[in-house]
Amino acid sequence: MSTTPSKTMAAFWMAGWLSLMLIMAVAGRETTRELNVFQIMEVRSLAGFVLLLPIIYRAGGFKVLKTRRLPQHIGRNSVHYVAQLGWFFALTLIPIGQVVAIEFTMPIWTAILAASFLSERMTPWKIAAIVLGLVGVIVIVRPATGEVNPGQLIALGAAMGFGVSMALVKSLTRTESALSILFWMIVVQSVAGFVPTLFVWTWPSAYVWAWMGVIAVCGTFSHYCLASAMRYADATIVVPMDFLRVPLTATAGWLLYSERLDAWTVLGAALILCGNLLNLKPATPVPVPARVQ
């Protein structure tokens, strides 16, 4: 279905994405006060399945979700599951603004993996983006000080995992629909977390149940907002809007939890975001040699 390009509508849907992702970061911080991350992820997956059922019904039922690439779905979602666990766990160890800043290295790892395994061309802009991103991480983590917080390393590992997941998604989209990818993500992650959840299960308070409902809704419909924004504008317009998530999350952490970001984190985040902007530069078309008649 064709959509008339509109920067206004793209901005509207990205506002929804930013709001839902910001709320989910706060919800993640609140739920991890009482619950294990395995339990949070399992409830989110099961609730997401329920929320997805009407969409599956409208698309023609479960028959449209058949796949010949189940091993790839399992591999991709296993990596994504571990990365998501790390993201939630990092929220309990370091400021949420710092978690999101480190998370923005994900496109850099995706670019490296796409060039290595999907035969995507590595341009000078992408190389510059990778260098800036790596320097930004070093500035934030500052290993030379000897005071590296484990939460920073967990957040970095999660970002790398998200990068692997995104590279695998790029491969899956060649044959699979977006609905199929989302469905198998929920199925695989529900199965992966079922047994661990049984061992750590504790009955949540009403307060935490409410926050887990927030995580399920935000985790499901935030991606719908992002996909809708992409329908109205190119990625070069949509993706930079997502960079607002860093200052917005840092502000929320300051207002709600009295978390302050130091100058090093701000500088590192700026370098990472500059790297992402360079990564959006379109590649110069490779000239096709003329055929000799």
Side-chain angles (χ1 to χ4, degrees):
M1 182 175 62
S2 60
T3 302
T4 304
S6 171
K7 292 182 181 179
T8 301
M9 289 301 298
F12 169 80
W13 284 110
M14 281 305 292
W17 158 265
L18 290 168
S19 300
L20 293 174
M21 290 301 292
L22 178 60
I23 293 170
M24 191 167 75
V26 175
R29 170 62 63 83
E30 292 299 312
T31 52
T32 51
R33 293 177 184 272
E34 291 187 22
L35 301 180
N36 187 282
V37 290
F38 283 106
Q39 186 174 346
I40 296 170
M41 286 288 293
E42 187 67 14
V43 172
R44 174 191 173 181
S45 295
L46 294 176
F49 179 78
V50 173
L51 292 169
L52 200 63
L53 285 177
I55 302 175
I56 294 174
Y57 175 77
R58 289 186 60 187
F62 289 97
K63 62 183 179 182
V64 302
L65 302 174
K66 292 181 180 179
T67 180
R68 296 181 179 178
R69 302 183 66 184
L70 185 58
Q72 288 87 342
H73 281 288
I74 293 174
R76 178 256 164 174
N77 289 302
S78 297
V79 172
H80 186 271
Y81 182 75
V82 174
Q84 191 71 72
L85 286 174
W87 187 85
F88 276 113
F89 190 49
L91 285 175
T92 68
L93 300 174
I94 59 177
I96 56 178
Q98 198 171 99
V99 173
V100 173
I102 296 174
E103 179 192 347
F104 267 88
T105 61
M106 182 266 291
I108 295 168
W109 311 120
T110 303
I112 294 174
L113 291 166
S116 302
F117 299 104
L118 300 179
S119 302
E120 292 192 6
R121 192 159 60 96
M122 186 64 75
T123 66
W125 293 115
K126 288 186 177 181
I127 295 172
I130 290 169
V131 172
L132 278 175
L134 294 176
V135 172
V137 170
I138 292 172
V139 169
I140 292 175
V141 177
R142 301 192 300 284
T145 64
E147 300 178 355
V148 176
N149 189 313
Q152 296 173 330
L153 298 182
I154 293 171
L156 181 59
M160 291 180 177
F162 287 138
V164 173
S165 175
M166 285 299 297
L168 292 174
V169 166
K170 288 170 72 73
S171 174
L172 284 169
T173 53
R174 295 172 178 173
T175 59
E176 307 287 289
S177 68
L179 180 59
S180 176
I181 291 172
L182 183 57
F183 170 78
W184 287 108
M185 180 189 77
I186 291 174
V187 170
V188 172
Q189 294 189 1
S190 297
V191 173
F194 181 74
V195 173
T197 300
L198 291 179
F199 284 98
V200 300
W201 179 269
T202 57
W203 197 257
S205 64
Y207 175 79
V208 171
W209 268 122
W211 279 115
M212 286 202 295
V214 169
I215 289 175
V217 172
C218 292
T220 302
F221 292 108
S222 60
H223 292 281
Y224 180 80
C225 289
L226 181 62
S228 297
M230 291 289 189
R231 288 172 52 205
Y232 285 100
D234 294 336
T236 51
I237 295 173
V238 171
V239 173
M241 298 181 192
D242 192 27
F243 298 161
L244 288 172
R245 200 149 46 97
V246 174
L248 289 175
T249 307
T251 301
W254 173 56
L255 293 175
L256 298 176
Y257 306 110
S258 300
E259 296 176 349
R260 296 185 180 275
L261 296 181
D262 57 24
W264 291 108
T265 299
V266 174
L267 175 60
L271 291 171
I272 292 170
L273 297 186
C274 286
N276 278 296
L277 285 171
L278 289 178
N279 197 34
L280 292 172
K281 294 280 291 185
T284 303
V286 179
V288 179
R291 292 184 178 182
V292 178
Q293 300 295 332

